[in-house]
Amino acid sequence: ILNVEQSPQSLHVQEGDSTNFTCSFPSSNFYALHWYRWETAKSPEALFVMTLNGDEKKKGRISATLNTKEGYSYLYIKGSQPEDSATYLCAFWNRDDKIIFGKGTRLHILP
Amino acid sequence: DTAVSQTPKYLVTQMGNDKSIKCEQNLGHDTMYWYKQDSKKFLKIMFSYNNKELIINETVPNRFSPKSPDKAHLNLHINSLELGDSAVYFCASSPFRDFYEQYFGPGTRLTVT
């Protein structure tokens, strides 16, 4: 059974602080890992698509790393702002066209 | 200028009915998807079409049938609706098959009574 775990499930961070969270996925048959940002009452929006071991991607204050050999990816947010409050989803793709989403990490930024 | 649109946004219907949800994308993408967000908020892939060809067909009851009349549209038809079909259904598209980022529609909340 393919499993994608995200931790923590929920996180409260003071505005201005930096934070990170994890996505764990099967290390075999890896094809790609996606990160999405999902605000309440909206649709998921793509942040990153990562395919190579050691990949590092950055978009503004948000960055992500990928380790396909051990099966994890980290998402980092530097200097959290209120608009960062959202659920962050990762999605694992394998070479058999399996797409599995994690349950997400719900991030709350405290003013 | 909605990139991925779904209709209707809300659908309330009785058990046993047949209903359809429509999805359209104006991004020129080749690949489209249907996801179900279950009661535990998990997003689960149901189907994917690439250029009108079915490429992903997860274990979904036969009552669910996707139809892609052209690569800009992927509709979801559900026969004999059951209470357990109540969920939010998301359509998405991506430029090509494989690992490109997906663009999601606003979702359709289906409630079966």
Side-chain angles (χ1 to χ4, degrees):
Chain A
I1 296 177
L2 298 174
N3 209 23
V4 175
E5 300 278 349
Q6 289 189 246
S7 63
Q9 281 188 5
S10 182
L11 190 54
H12 289 79
V13 174
Q14 204 68 42
E15 183 177 348
D17 287 353
S18 297
T19 187
N20 65 83
F21 27 92
T22 310
C23 172
S24 301
F25 51 85
S27 54
S28 61
N29 209 15
F30 174 87
Y31 196 55
L33 187 87
H34 293 207
W35 280 101
Y36 291 87
R37 183 169 171 276
W38 195 354
E39 289 183 69
T40 305
K42 293 189 176 180
S43 312
E45 288 181 14
L47 286 172
F48 305 114
V49 175
M50 309 177 82
T51 57
L52 298 174
N53 184 43
D55 250 355
E56 290 188 26
K57 300 261 181 171
K58 188 174 180 190
K59 190 182 280 190
R61 294 178 293 100
I62 305 177
S63 60
T65 60
L66 179 69
N67 183 325
T68 61
K69 293 185 178 179
E70 294 180 43
Y72 64 84
S73 175
Y74 292 133
L75 191 81
Y76 300 89
I77 302 179
K78 190 176 174 183
S80 303
Q81 298 297 309
E83 59 265 27
D84 297 329
S85 293
T87 296
Y88 291 83
L89 294 175
C90 67
F92 163 76
W93 293 54
N94 75 7
R95 294 182 182 277
D96 297 325
D97 279 332
K98 289 290 182 191
I99 305 171
I100 302 176
F101 276 78
K103 284 187 178 178
T105 291
R106 191 166 177 81
L107 177 65
H108 307 263
I109 305 301
L110 306 170
Chain B
D1 278 29
T2 307
V4 183
S5 59
Q6 294 179 228
T7 52
K9 195 166 180 182
Y10 300 95
L11 183 53
V12 181
T13 188
Q14 290 186 324
M15 278 176 59
N17 284 348
D18 302 339
K19 289 292 178 187
S20 292
I21 306 172
K22 295 187 176 182
C23 179
E24 177 181 0
Q25 53 95 2
N26 62 6
L27 298 166
H29 288 172
D30 277 0
T31 310
M32 296 184 73
Y33 310 80
W34 275 112
Y35 288 90
K36 179 180 180 181
Q37 184 189 17
D38 63 20
S39 56
K40 295 181 181 177
K41 305 295 185 187
F42 249 136
L43 267 180
K44 290 185 179 176
I45 182 81
M46 299 174 70
F47 302 103
S48 177
Y49 270 72
N50 184 64
N51 245 328
K52 302 195 299 172
E53 179 191 347
L54 181 66
I55 55 170
I56 296 176
N57 185 358
E58 289 297 319
T59 308
V60 174
N62 291 338
R63 300 180 294 103
F64 289 78
S65 54
K67 286 189 172 47
S68 182
D70 54 62
K71 72 176 193 177
H73 296 85
L74 180 62
N75 304 323
L76 184 65
H77 189 74
I78 316 170
N79 287 329
S80 304
L81 277 154
E82 299 177 359
L83 292 176
D85 298 332
S86 295
V88 181
Y89 293 84
F90 285 94
C91 176
S93 72
S94 63
F96 303 104
R97 190 180 170 168
D98 299 340
F99 52 78
Y100 288 85
E101 62 188 30
Q102 295 181 44
Y103 295 75
F104 283 81
T108 294
R109 183 174 291 277
L110 171 65
T111 304
V112 182
T113 60

